[in-house]
Amino acid sequence: MSTTISNPEMRTGATFRNWSGSVSTSPSAFYYPATIEEVQHIVRTLPAGRSVRTVGGGHSFTPVAAGADAMISLDKLAGIVRIDPETKRVRFLAGTRLHRIPEYLQPFGLALANQGDIDVQSVAGAISTSTHGTGIEWTGFAGTVTGLSLIDASGDRRDYSIDTDPDALRLVTVSLGALGVIVEVEMQCVDAFDLLAEEGAESLDTVLDTWEERSRAVDHYEAFWFPHTGRAMVKSNTRLAPGAPAPGGEPKVRGRFTRFIEDDLIGNGAFAAALAVARAVPRATPKLNGIAAGAMAANRYRSRAHDVFATPRRVRFHEMEFAVPLEAGPEAVREIRREMDRRNWLIPFPLELRTTAADDVALSTSTGRESMYIAFHVPKAMNPHEFFPPIQDVLHAAGGRPHWGKMHTLGRADFAEMYPRFDEFCALREQMDPTRKFGSEHLKQLFG
Ligand SMILES: Cc1cc2nc3c(=O)[nH]c(=O)nc-3n(C[C@H](O)[C@H](O)[C@H](O)COP(=O)(O)OP(=O)(O)OC[C@H]3O[C@@H](n4cnc5c(N)ncnc54)[C@H](O)[C@@H]3O)c2cc1C
């Protein structure tokens, strides 16, 4: 039986630029398939010797999604395929953006188990780079994947499920688009919940001395340390069933307007102004960081989980982040502090500190161990290559694994030591894509 496949939308002359502006490329063709059959058609009809890369939200800091030949966006392949209210497993089309998910799940009383600090990524992009939030009891997105379907280099569909072959699923979940085009992702969701957020400033020493203890005591614990100061802003988010009373009394409910004032006007707006001053007068950086840390007033509010987890990020920056074994994390932060002092750097951006549970996803940055995530940023106007290598050395020496979507210069030999199943992944890639239909220069650095 033959079926007619419509030609997918194709644009030429388009430029792909990532969120931070560090990656810019003009693929010969940019495809926007609206069906899985169209994805298969693109892969099958790709001229010999050409490669194709799939992009999600374009929010990675490296060329991990970029390609000079063809690129595919799954923006038209978005929405829910299936919801199982009993198991709370939800199957999404892979191009679904995270910020659309709450409205899809609300009628079913479900939610994503945990989230990072933004929600503009696609489902496939988030799992493919091991994107994570914070919370010692919760894994990153990849750890919640219970099923996945991808289109391989022959254009055939391959389905993976945790019920039939968990090892195979765990091997292909974090794959950076190197094995094929992911078209569907099934995730383990949870009952919808609220978060009680409590924010305030504390001494960095206290935060580091109590990191593990506090991470275990609070559902979602995170801190932002302002370099050249001894202060950090801490955020403790407690999960509450909708309607359940908040311990310590009911706080204000965070409305849209409050959110705009706090996140956009005060957060992003004031921060952008401070960065502009720091750029004009770098010597003022420690003082400005001190003012920023001091200005973090204690804050307590409650909202639906996704409203608290994710906030807009309007100030552009470059980022490096490593997952360090939980117990080694606080000392690694202290070493970064000493390194910055030794080099007399002036860094106007806070470091972000988070934790996650261990998982068993082969290339997850938390595979096999609880992690402390340490993220180092510089504003877009600063040259990341001047600052990131020494920080990478510190974090690598502490046993850290770099975030797959953030800046680093490590390669195959390093990863073979970090990930017990790395060679198995490379062998699978060899078998599934021997001609590198899904290859790129960046993937060559990572996987050979
Ligand atoms: C402001 C900002 C905040 C961030 N916050 C966090 C955070 O809190 N936690 C965290 O862990 N990370 C964070 N990140 C990093 C971000 O989550 C990851 O880089 C993520 O991969 C981006 O998702 P995306 O949809 O934009 O994917 P892209 O960057 O477009 O792609 C990422 C990878 O996924 C692959 N891919 C995408 N779609 C498919 C598909 N359908 N099939 C196969 N492969 C595919 C691409 O080829 C590429 O290898 C942040 C980034 C920014 C810019």
Side-chain angles (χ1 to χ4, degrees):
M1 191 179 73
S2 72
T3 44
T4 317
I5 296 165
S6 63
N7 279 329
E9 181 187 335
M10 199 246 316
R11 295 182 204 159
T12 53
T15 298
F16 164 73
R17 210 169 265 116
N18 69 341
W19 176 86
S20 68
S22 61
V23 176
S24 173
T25 179
S26 301
S28 55
F30 216 126
Y31 293 100
Y32 292 84
T35 63
I36 293 175
E37 289 72 23
E38 287 186 0
V39 176
Q40 293 179 294
H41 180 74
I42 295 165
V43 174
R44 285 189 177 133
T45 57
L46 195 73
R50 291 299 178 98
S51 63
V52 62
R53 298 289 301 148
T54 312
V55 64
H59 272 61
S60 294
F61 293 87
T62 65
V64 71
D69 291 345
M71 287 182 75
I72 300 178
S73 160
L74 292 198
D75 275 354
K76 289 180 167 181
L77 212 59
I80 289 199
V81 180
R82 203 166 47 241
I83 295 185
D84 183 337
E86 295 251 305
T87 60
K88 299 173 189 158
R89 289 183 186 175
V90 181
R91 198 166 184 90
F92 299 96
L93 286 167
T96 307
R97 298 298 180 100
L98 299 180
H99 65 89
R100 299 296 307 274
I101 292 179
E103 82 192 66
Y104 294 145
L105 297 190
Q106 194 179 9
F108 303 91
L110 296 176
L112 293 169
N114 194 6
Q115 284 186 244
D117 55 25
I118 57 162
D119 58 6
V120 289
Q121 305 97 321
S122 66
V123 168
I127 67 157
S128 294
T129 58
S130 189
T131 289
H132 62 91
T134 190
I136 198 69
E137 299 283 331
W138 284 270
T139 67
F141 286 101
T144 71
V145 172
T146 53
L148 178 154
S149 301
L150 62 76
I151 303 306
D152 69 15
S154 312
D156 295 334
R157 177 180 173 136
R158 296 194 189 204
D159 297 307
Y160 301 86
S161 165
I162 197 152
D163 299 325
T164 50
D165 194 346
D167 267 10
L169 174 72
R170 295 311 197 200
L171 191 57
V172 303
T173 301
V174 174
S175 59
L176 297 102
L179 302 179
V181 184
I182 297 169
V183 288
E184 289 181 7
V185 179
E186 184 186 84
M187 290 202 274
Q188 181 64 58
C189 292
V190 298
D191 289 327
F193 58 101
D194 288 353
L195 283 175
L196 169 66
E198 293 169 290
E199 303 172 351
E202 283 191 32
S203 101
L204 176 68
D205 285 334
T206 307
V207 170
L208 295 180
D209 289 345
T210 58
W211 183 260
E212 184 170 343
E213 183 191 325
R214 298 274 288 275
S215 295
R216 294 198 190 285
V218 175
D219 289 333
H220 304 277
Y221 183 59
E222 96 181 280
F224 294 87
W225 168 50
F226 291 84
H228 325 298
T229 78
R231 306 290 287 169
M233 179 201 168
V234 292
K235 286 177 85 171
S236 300
N237 291 336
T238 304
R239 295 165 86 102
L240 298 172
E250 213 50 46
K252 69 179 173 184
V253 174
R254 199 177 191 209
R256 240 170 210 224
F257 185 67
T258 321
R259 197 188 158 119
F260 171 72
I261 296 289
E262 286 168 359
D263 295 339
D264 285 14
L265 230 58
I266 298 178
N268 287 297
F271 191 45
L275 286 180
V277 177
R279 194 176 167 198
V281 192
R283 271 181 301 112
T285 302
K287 195 157 207 169
L288 288 166
N289 285 2
I291 293 170
M296 294 296 167
N299 200 5
R300 193 165 176 273
Y301 53 90
R302 173 181 186 158
S303 194
R304 291 195 307 164
H306 59 89
D307 268 339
V308 177
F309 279 135
T311 51
R313 289 285 192 275
R314 305 210 196 289
V315 177
R316 308 268 158 161
F317 51 83
H318 305 288
E319 181 172 346
M320 153 175 285
E321 184 180 46
F322 276 64
V324 169
L326 179 63
E327 58 287 358
E331 182 50 27
V333 177
R334 291 195 177 93
E335 183 54 26
I336 290 175
R337 187 181 196 181
R338 290 190 285 269
E339 187 67 22
M340 284 198 276
D341 287 346
R342 275 194 290 271
R343 291 174 181 270
N344 288 320
W345 283 351
L346 293 169
I347 305 294
F349 229 97
L351 274 78
E352 189 175 13
L353 313 176
R354 296 181 276 185
T355 28
T356 68
D359 61 45
D360 59 355
V361 176
L363 297 193
S364 156
T365 46
S366 272
T367 198
R369 67 192 198 195
E370 292 176 325
S371 301
M372 177 172 180
Y373 285 84
I374 302 172
F376 185 88
H377 318 71
V378 294
K380 189 178 172 186
M382 285 168 79
N383 177 5
H385 307 293
E386 200 180 310
F387 300 97
F388 286 2
I391 302 301
Q392 171 173 292
D393 290 345
V394 172
L395 293 169
H396 191 193
R401 297 167 174 151
H403 189 302
W404 293 108
K406 301 188 182 178
M407 289 177 138
H408 67 88
T409 57
L410 300 179
R412 181 174 174 153
D414 305 299
F415 298 125
E417 285 181 10
M418 290 174 193
Y419 292 97
R421 296 185 74 187
F422 189 76
D423 288 338
E424 196 185 340
F425 178 86
C426 292
L428 178 68
R429 181 184 182 220
E430 203 57 53
Q431 182 205 323
M432 284 179 70
D433 187 19
T435 64
R436 302 291 185 258
K437 214 172 207 179
F438 303 113
S440 71
E441 277 306 308
H442 186 71
L443 292 197
K444 207 184 267 180
Q445 173 201 327
L446 305 181
F447 303 121

